[in-house]
Amino acid sequence: MDKDKMLERASDTKVDIPEVFAKNTAGYPQKVFELRQTLYCRAKQDPKYKFYTLYGLVCREDVLMAAWRKVARNDGAPGLDGVSIDDIRNTAGGVEKLLEEIRQELLAKTYQPKEVKRVYIPKPNGKKRPLGIPTVRDRVVQAAVLLIIEPIFEADFMGCSYGYRPGRSARQALNEIQEAIRSGCKQAYDMDMESFFDTIPHDKLIACVQKRIADGSIIKLIRMWLRSVVVEETGGGKPPKYSRPKQGTPQGGVISPLLANLYLHFFDVMFHKEYGPGAWAGAKLVRYADDFVILSKHICERTKSFVEEALERRMGLRINRDKTAIRDLAQKGDNLEFLGYVFRRERAKQWKGWYDNLLPSKKALKTVRNKIKERTGPKVCFKPAKKVIAEVNAITRGWAQYFSIGYRAPAYNAVDNYVQLRLRKHLKRRSQRGYRRPAGTSWYSHLENLGMQRLSKRLAPVIARQ
């Protein structure tokens, strides 16, 4: 079936459309939005339909412009060529010239991705997470392919998956866990996968793509990105290291989250089949990218065996058994950490009984403290106090926006106290003669007069009986 007939057939058949494809909340050009909507509807109405003619859609001028806007909005560091978003805007011809060059290369099928820049970012546990940063040019092409194939796979993805999906969020995943716990699923299989993004088998991932995409040109692009040479600077005057990955999809690529979700969708499907614990044990799966938890009234050995068999033998992934455990949420002290929150059983002070609590984790508090410390350290003594305080406010405001459910009052107070401590230290460090606040004014009041915002002023939720 050719492209025009496919789009015509999709428009004739009505299906239930989620809000993200029913309303143009992302601000795409209208024709791009309608195209994505049509692709979603066509995929939804026929789960076995394969798309053969998608490459031409990727080459459309409006699709490439929408891809550029998506990349520019996310900003991000330049790739190995050192060209940034602003560099492209400020060159002769600017964005239009870049997109036309990309379009001509795609049409002539001469496009080749550049090497990927390897960088490392610190993790809360002190280790470092490897990222692969493509060039801005390659990120635009990846975004264009994403715009076209994302609606197709979104039609297949299941409700248990929340991470890196349009219209879905971590908040929804946390709410799902709360509902499962309230319904009696007090045991949790807390899973951790070892180097997930770096261990996805290429052949099996491509097989997942080909279940829906039969356009060889799209498959070729994805293969090239998966096999792009990774360049890592070694320092000390030594030459950089070059490697071509045989597995994995680099974190940092625009299309990598979709490919990762697509591969784990295979596990979601198996989990809910008649032979999976979702059917015979009534277990609940909540997944946010490669972070997931299984909740049930009882986690038995059969459930553990199913997970290990599916992920390791069938999918070629690795389970980190040191960080994988069964949590009994009906027991005090046996807590579940997920997406920065802690689910735990606590005794209520207001009444005789127990309730299931939700609050920011110690790791989440440590992370925000580290960010505040960085913004108030000795290296920023030259900055005016009000500017430093504004930067700290931005950090705490964003943190509080995410950690705005559950019992967060103690965490908010702890962050407020730490902010006051760091700002007092910053003000004293800036002054050689010693900094003195106005007479009769407390430190909190003085810092508030300088612009400090207190999280504890936000309303704390009332804990209801569970």
Side-chain angles (χ1 to χ4, degrees), residues 168-438:
R168 299 200 138 224
S169 67
R171 176 71 61 85
Q172 293 171 328
L174 294 165
N175 290 339
E176 185 70 18
I177 293 176
Q178 282 186 298
E179 289 300 318
I181 293 173
R182 291 192 185 109
S183 69
C185 295
K186 298 290 187 179
Q187 288 200 347
Y189 187 24
D190 186 11
M191 271 288 308
D192 186 82
M193 282 186 285
E194 188 175 338
S195 303
F196 166 69
F197 279 86
D198 298 328
T199 57
I200 301 175
H202 287 173
D203 57 340
K204 293 183 178 181
L205 175 58
I206 292 296
C208 291
V209 177
Q210 289 175 326
K211 287 184 177 181
R212 277 297 202 170
I213 309 296
D215 189 326
S217 297
I218 297 291
I219 300 297
K220 182 180 178 182
L221 285 176
I222 295 174
R223 284 189 189 275
M224 287 195 297
W225 291 325
L226 293 176
R227 296 281 289 151
S228 292
V229 172
V230 177
V231 181
E232 180 177 349
E233 297 293 338
T234 56
K238 297 180 180 180
K241 292 182 180 179
Y242 292 82
S243 61
R244 188 180 293 275
K246 296 181 180 180
Q247 60 183 14
T249 177
Q251 295 185 69
V254 176
I255 205 168
S256 292
L258 174 64
L259 296 178
N261 263 334
L262 175 60
Y263 194 59
L264 284 176
H265 170 67
F266 183 37
F267 176 79
D268 300 344
V269 172
M270 288 191 290
F271 184 90
H272 291 93
K273 289 280 190 180
E274 64 276 3
Y275 55 79
W280 51 259
K284 304 287 186 182
L285 171 65
V286 180
R287 182 172 67 80
Y288 191 92
D290 60 322
D291 293 325
F292 64 89
V293 61
I294 297 169
L295 298 121
S296 181
K297 293 182 178 179
H298 176 64
I299 301 293
C300 60
E301 191 63 34
R302 185 180 173 188
T303 299
K304 290 176 59 181
S305 298
F306 171 86
V307 173
E308 292 171 4
E309 168 78 7
L311 290 175
E312 294 188 322
R313 194 187 71 81
R314 299 192 65 175
M315 300 181 67
L317 302 172
R318 296 197 302 265
I319 297 174
N320 187 339
R321 285 173 171 76
D322 292 336
K323 295 183 179 180
T324 297
I326 295 176
R327 314 289 182 188
D328 189 349
L329 302 180
Q331 299 295 322
K332 181 182 178 181
D334 205 357
N335 307 328
L336 170 67
E337 289 195 23
F338 191 72
L339 300 180
Y341 277 89
V342 173
F343 297 83
R344 73 186 187 195
R345 190 76 168 164
E346 290 188 349
R347 182 180 291 277
K349 296 179 180 179
Q350 296 90 342
W351 66 87
K352 292 182 180 180
W354 295 82
Y355 68 97
D356 298 310
N357 201 359
L358 175 66
L359 64 160
S361 68
K362 291 181 180 179
K363 190 181 295 184
L365 281 166
K366 182 179 180 181
T367 299
V368 73
R369 283 197 295 263
N370 287 341
K371 290 181 179 179
I372 294 167
K373 185 176 182 180
E374 183 182 351
R375 288 291 192 277
T376 56
K379 294 182 180 180
V380 299
C381 286
F382 66 93
K383 288 187 179 181
K386 289 188 176 181
K387 185 172 183 180
V388 171
I389 291 174
E391 292 177 355
V392 171
N393 286 341
I395 293 172
T396 58
R397 189 165 53 246
W399 187 86
Q401 185 175 0
Y402 179 78
F403 292 100
S404 59
I405 58 175
Y407 185 49
R408 73 249 192 208
Y412 278 18
N413 285 325
V415 172
D416 282 345
N417 291 335
Y418 188 74
V419 167
Q420 180 193 195
L421 176 68
R422 293 299 308 178
L423 290 178
R424 286 174 62 177
K425 191 171 184 178
H426 171 74
L427 291 174
K428 291 178 179 179
R429 187 189 298 119
R430 292 179 73 248
S431 177
Q432 296 179 354
R433 297 181 180 180
Y435 187 89
R436 293 185 179 182
R437 65 184 186 277

Side-chain angles (χ1 to χ4, degrees), residues 128-172:
K128 293 185 178 181
R129 185 189 307 277
L131 296 183
I133 309 297
T135 63
V136 174
R137 185 190 198 91
D138 290 333
R139 297 208 292 268
V140 171
V141 183
Q142 287 189 23
V145 173
L146 177 72
L147 288 172
I148 299 303
I149 70 174
E150 182 181 59
I152 297 170
F153 293 117
E154 275 294 319
D156 295 336
F157 288 164
M158 303 184 73
C160 62
S161 170
Y162 293 92
Y164 306 113
R165 293 182 57 189
R168 299 200 138 224
S169 67
R171 176 71 61 85
Q172 293 171 328

